[in-house]
Amino acid sequence: SGWHFVNRDPERALQPPTVSQLSKVIAPTFVLVGERDVPEFQTIATRVDRSIPGARREIVAGAGHLASMEAPQRVNELVLGFLGGLQG
């Protein structure tokens, strides 16, 4: 739209950067990424998984960025499995 050319950009980087705070996350964390997602998102998923204590990462075979639309049955199984493991 060009709005940002004539207005001050309200976006501000978080301080400290979020990526440096991942090791402090204590919530159960499930990282889901499609096997065919873009390399940058694969890298992000790996970094989040490795940085958050106890995080669980799953790769959806044959899916890209929209894994929940490309393989809904498998995504549901994975998410429900993760959530089911939290009970009890």
Side-chain angles (χ1 to χ4, degrees):
S1 70
W3 180 90
H4 62 285
F5 291 120
V6 295
N7 293 282
R8 188 172 150 268
D9 187 353
E11 183 177 346
R12 296 190 183 161
L14 294 174
Q15 291 300 327
T18 303
V19 71
S20 70
Q21 302 299 303
L22 292 174
S23 64
K24 296 179 181 179
V25 173
I26 59 172
T29 304
F30 185 56
V31 181
L32 188 68
V33 65
E35 175 184 42
R36 295 181 180 174
D37 206 339
V38 296
E40 292 83 6
F41 287 1
Q42 295 282 345
T43 300
I44 291 167
T46 299
R47 185 163 189 183
V48 169
D49 175 51
R50 290 181 180 167
S51 298
I52 297 176
R56 177 175 153 197
R57 178 173 63 117
E58 291 285 347
I59 299 170
V60 181
H65 187 65
L66 298 174
S68 61
M69 293 178 73
E70 297 171 51
Q73 180 84 21
R74 182 64 181 140
V75 168
N76 286 342
E77 291 169 0
L78 291 168
V79 171
L80 291 173
F82 174 75
L83 294 174
L86 299 178
Q87 299 172 359

